[in-house]
Amino acid sequence: MTPRATYRFQFHKDFPFARAEALLPYLDRLGISHVYASPITTAAAGSMHGYDVIDPTRINPELGGDKAFRSLAEAARARGMGVIIDIVPNHMGVAGGGNRWWNDVLTHGEASRFARFFDIDWSRKLVLPILGDPLRKVLAEGQIAVEHRDGCAEIVAYGEHRLPIRDEDQDDAETQDIAALVDRQHYRLASWRVSNDELNWRRFFTINDLAGLRVEDDQVFEETHRLYFRLYEEGLIDGVRIDHVDGLTDPIGYCRKLRARFDAIAPDDRSHAYIVVEKILAAEEPMGDDWGVDGTSGYDFMEEVSALLHAPEGTRPLAELWAHQSGRSDQFAPEELQARQDLLAWQFAGQLDQCVAAFASLTASTSELDGAITTPMLRRAIERLLWVFPVYRTYGPDAPATDAAIRKIARKRVDPHLPPGEAFVVDQILDWLAGSGPGERERQKEAIRRFQQLSAPIAAKAVEDTAFYRHATLLSRNDVGFDAGRLSLSIAAFHERMRGRAERFPLAMLTTATHDHKRGEDVRARLAVLSAMPEDWRRQVEAWRTQTLDLAEGIDPADWYMLIQTLVGAWPEPDNLGDFAERIAAWQEKALREAKLRSSWEAPDTDYEARCNHFAQVLIDGDEGAVFREGMAALLRRIGPAAQANSLVQVALRYTVPGVPDCYQGTEFADLSLVDPDNRRPVDYAAREAALAEGRVSKQMLIAGLLDIRRRHPDMFTHGTYHPLAVTGHARDRVIAFQRRQGDAVLTCVFGMRLEPLMDERGVVDWRDTAVAWDRDTIRMDTLLADGPVWYALRT
């Protein structure tokens, strides 16, 4: 069954399958067709997200196991609903000793039958960077011992890290010299500080607890996916969302293989499996339509609708305000470049070494290049390409046509950074990435793989987890998959993208909130209002700066301004202020450490963090923050109607444009969450059930109303066309209008946005001569949008 609308649940031990099953009647009344589950396979004990999978062959017993999942799926099916699940093919959790495959590798080394499952360089011992200090010091302090558990001897570090011992050392492990015993194992214990430089196995981004899987190997693919195929064959799931597809060796080949396997086991009366991929697309990067998937999991739509809500007139003034307040660049590009340079040098040196070595081996395999390209030349070329690479990755060596444009952009961007006389080295590398060029084919494939599996994490960590915390023209434009260098998207450009969706990916997922977002959808919608009133916002910021100058002594102005924006975006209703200061403190700690300028995860400056947190707490509830709070209350009263309009339009677009809309858990109410774990807090479903029954929350009722149309006319949304409507008048850039058509069914949508400049103090919009034209009629906006920013009508 193809999903009509999904609802994302974050499962963990305190929210197991049984809780979701109890909520099925509510989801059904709301109009949801499918539960969209976070990873259901066995994860590390106590995992709150499920992406640290330790056993992909078994449903997580902490969530209720196979029996409870089957009960959920069957209960959904009985209501005409279904389930899709999040799967994690790229990596496994290897911390805590619970992963039997990883433990077998540690026990038997390269001889383990699971050694091929992980991406390990066996030219030296497997490096385990779990120690707080160098091994010699830890041994001298007596922090490593041998203990027995379940009849087996284990090496125990710090009383918590339990590591298996080789079979041949089991009998007399406790009587052996501990240093000699440790030295004989198939792994090398090391300080966590060496992981960035010396790790010889692929990890997920910079997380030492997650080891990369080799699903390109047929055996690994089958063993890690057997459970998913069984669940699909039994009718318990209708499809999957693939986590971090760009981390794989061959994403396109993997997706095609997955599609073929699902198709092969589908009964004759089943529609094809629903498959979407978590993929970050660059601003103008097309998604290939030959992958065998239904599209992405929706970050691209989240970016498009967010940019649409921002007013273009804020672009220059807000950039100048950021530069003035922070003393940093008014452009995002320099911050991204510096972050890429920092991360490549600081956290990916080991992977870079392996990538360079692979290209050096390739170079050495051809006489044409013998003596012409040195290893240092290769390093410089690879480094500089990674500094400027325009997308997460390419997809060679059998490169699709879309890769050519990427390589062309990369070549142009890298040119200013190249040493004199070394451009030919970059040209040769790009040639290899295209699948051509000299050298042995297998060495070429390995070199390309190394580059592609390095370019993706560099992009993610440098942009989303570093530069987004250093640059803040407007924080609503800094989120997963966003182009922070662009504040706004024109209505015409948005229409063009939606027409493209209808033609190429009518079933791609549409989301505006996820478990990974940095700011909730309504935080972004509220901050977007500021783009339409940049001068008034500047005056407010300058007033607050003057008022808080003494309170903010010793706080970097950039950190001050990011905090102010965050408070404006996330400030809750007065009766919800109870834990707001604690939530902001958690956000601020993460923001400061991710920025890596005044603090970091590796070397936290707790004094500076405490100073920032104290300042935030004073603003939120301290006596000295009273004047600030008066200004905050006045600002929120002013922008409230426009923020509410943005919020409702964001919802309306999600449920009317081409694609399958997803509602992230709880966001049918206002979503003023911050970055994880704040966006994974428990949801009050009793309140949501009561509100739906009473019809008193406008956002929730808008979702229910549009999902009712989707339930009655599903073909209009899966196969229907998308037609922009012309808007005229002085406020034409504040209205988006279009029709969805399928046969005799026509849904006309007219939504007002970026409305703050048109509103009076009561929130009433001055539409004047603005009108929309369709079916040879011209209808004035003050008629259509007299009662709110969202109007739609169905004709059958």
Side-chain angles (χ1 to χ4, degrees), residues 484-779:
R486 176 183 64 192
L487 183 72
S488 181
L489 183 70
S490 72
I491 293 172
F494 184 84
H495 281 317
E496 188 61 30
R497 293 180 184 220
M498 295 308 106
R499 277 196 296 243
R501 283 181 177 275
E503 293 167 2
R504 300 177 68 238
F505 292 107
L507 297 179
M509 191 172 277
L510 306 169
T511 189
T512 49
T514 77
H515 61 286
D516 276 335
H517 69 233
K518 298 187 183 302
R519 285 157 202 91
E521 59 185 39
D522 296 313
V523 174
R524 298 194 306 272
R526 184 188 287 177
L527 287 175
V529 177
L530 305 179
S531 67
M533 46 178 284
E535 289 307 312
D536 288 351
W537 170 241
R538 178 186 58 78
R539 285 189 286 270
Q540 179 64 78
V541 169
E542 290 174 348
W544 276 335
R545 186 67 181 155
T546 300
Q547 293 165 9
T548 66
L549 204 56
D550 292 339
L551 293 174
E553 185 178 359
I555 295 175
D556 188 290
D559 297 332
W560 177 89
Y561 189 39
M562 287 193 190
L563 171 64
I564 294 300
Q565 288 190 46
T566 300
L567 292 176
V568 171
W571 198 279
E573 294 296 324
D575 56 352
N576 289 328
L577 272 173
D579 65 345
F580 188 49
E582 290 77 16
R583 291 175 53 214
I584 290 293
W587 163 80
Q588 197 162 42
E589 176 186 275
K590 186 166 188 172
L592 293 171
R593 294 183 183 185
E594 294 285 19
K596 307 168 190 67
L597 295 174
R598 297 297 301 266
S599 190
S600 66
W601 296 108
E602 294 80 6
D605 185 339
T606 54
D607 289 341
Y608 182 72
E609 292 173 0
R611 194 181 313 142
C612 291
N613 288 341
H614 175 72
F615 173 62
Q617 184 154 8
V618 168
L619 296 184
I620 293 168
D621 55 23
D623 293 342
E624 294 171 286
V627 175
F628 171 82
R629 291 193 294 277
E630 289 174 6
M632 176 67 75
L635 177 65
L636 293 181
R637 280 195 300 272
R638 174 179 172 179
I639 69 175
Q644 173 73 351
N646 279 349
S647 173
L648 293 177
V649 169
Q650 184 171 238
V651 168
L653 288 167
R654 191 173 80 226
Y655 287 93
T656 54
V657 303
V660 176
D662 174 59
C663 182
Y664 180 68
Q665 59 178 31
T667 60
E668 60 270 42
F669 277 20
D671 175 20
L672 298 179
S673 63
L674 298 169
V675 71
D676 67 277
D678 193 67
N679 57 14
R680 304 174 189 179
R681 286 176 296 150
V683 176
D684 183 351
Y685 280 108
R688 284 157 178 77
E689 290 178 293
L692 184 61
E694 298 166 12
R696 55 181 167 80
V697 175
S698 57
K699 185 179 179 184
Q700 183 187 49
M701 294 312 297
L702 177 59
I703 292 171
L706 290 170
L707 283 183
D708 178 61
I709 295 176
R710 277 187 171 261
R711 194 197 300 262
R712 290 185 284 122
H713 300 277
D715 287 349
M716 183 165 61
F717 295 95
T718 55
H719 305 298
T721 54
Y722 179 95
H723 298 273
L725 298 176
V727 180
T728 58
H730 80 290
R732 60 186 176 276
D733 62 339
R734 310 284 162 166
V735 178
I736 182 165
F738 58 91
Q739 288 182 333
R740 301 300 312 278
R741 303 175 190 166
Q742 174 68 16
D744 294 332
V746 179
L747 178 68
T748 303
C749 301
V750 181
F751 307 145
M753 59 191 183
R754 312 168 181 167
L755 297 179
E756 200 283 334
L758 305 181
M759 286 180 164
D760 64 17
E761 63 278 1
R762 298 168 299 156
V764 176
V765 179
D766 175 17
W767 288 115
R768 263 183 274 171
D769 58 344
T770 311
V772 61
W774 80 86
D775 293 344
R776 296 185 297 277
D777 290 326
T778 299
I779 303 180

Side-chain angles (χ1 to χ4, degrees), residues 344 352-365 369 372-386 418-419 422 424-430 432 447 451 454:
L344 187 58
L352 177 60
D353 286 344
Q354 293 165 2
C355 182
V356 171
F359 276 97
S361 175
L362 173 59
T363 302
S365 74
L369 300 176
I373 298 179
T374 67
T375 298
M377 286 180 184
L378 288 168
R379 177 179 293 275
R380 288 190 288 273
I382 292 167
E383 277 182 336
R384 283 152 178 77
L385 276 171
L386 291 169
L418 294 176
E422 293 190 13
F424 78 99
V425 186
V426 162
D427 291 335
Q428 184 59 70
I429 291 172
L430 292 174
W432 279 322
F451 185 91
L454 180 54

